[in-house]
Amino acid sequence: MQKIVKIALVVLGLLSAVLWYLLPSSDMPVAEAAESGAMNAMFIITYLLLGIAVVVSLVFTLKNLFSNPQGLKKTLFVVGGFLLVVGISYVLASGTDVDPQFMEMSDESTIKKIGMGLNVFFILTIIAVASLIIPGIKNMFSK
């Protein structure tokens, strides 16, 4: 199996090198370069490899997750906490805190989702920083 993977990687490497050589020159107009067959083939290879990597990582992650019930319980707890943070962030987000000139570009639900994403980022950042600082403070006072 390992030999097959190595051979496949060598073939993909050689194919990518040939496609790299066939890429359009830098002085070609962008619209024309985007239609290049070499460019499209490189994108197809990239998407194929990305898809394979995602599928393999998901399969092995789920396999390991379901083989360890304690790990599954911990993972469900973390996912539940993340969904709780997303729910709280959505409730805290308002869709009306945008300058009226920018409201023309988007609707209220999109702005609310953007606000929710920012709130999720801020809350998770606060949790991450607190989880780094609090144990350090505990260690300072326990010694």
Side-chain angles (χ1 to χ4, degrees):
M1 180 69 179
Q2 195 172 6
K3 269 189 173 182
I4 295 171
V5 171
K6 283 184 180 181
I7 292 171
L9 288 175
V10 168
V11 168
L12 278 173
L14 290 174
L15 179 63
S16 297
V18 169
L19 290 173
W20 181 268
Y21 180 74
L22 295 174
L23 282 176
S25 63
S26 61
D27 57 345
M28 183 180 284
V30 175
E32 232 179 276
E35 298 295 323
S36 165
M39 184 81 75
N40 290 333
M42 288 186 86
F43 276 118
I44 290 170
I45 290 172
T46 303
Y47 292 142
L48 180 69
L49 291 175
L50 180 65
I52 290 170
V54 167
V55 168
V56 168
S57 66
L58 282 175
V59 165
F60 283 110
T61 300
L62 292 175
K63 179 182 165 252
N64 289 336
L65 192 65
F66 288 118
S67 66
N68 182 6
Q70 196 68 10
L72 179 63
K73 181 179 170 185
K74 191 181 238 184
T75 301
L76 289 175
F77 181 71
V78 170
V79 169
F82 179 72
L83 291 176
L84 180 68
V85 167
V86 169
I88 290 170
S89 298
Y90 187 78
V91 169
L92 292 176
S94 83
T96 58
D97 55 349
V98 175
D99 196 304
Q101 70 178 3
F102 297 116
M103 284 296 285
E104 299 168 0
M105 294 183 220
S106 185
D107 59 348
E108 188 174 338
S109 69
T110 303
I111 294 170
K112 186 165 177 103
K113 290 175 188 170
I114 292 170
M116 177 199 68
L118 290 170
N119 289 341
V120 167
F121 173 75
F122 295 142
I123 291 171
L124 291 179
T125 302
I126 290 168
I127 291 171
V129 170
S131 67
L132 290 173
I133 292 175
I134 291 173
I137 293 173
K138 282 184 180 179
N139 285 341
M140 279 186 353
F141 291 117
S142 67
K143 291 184 177 183

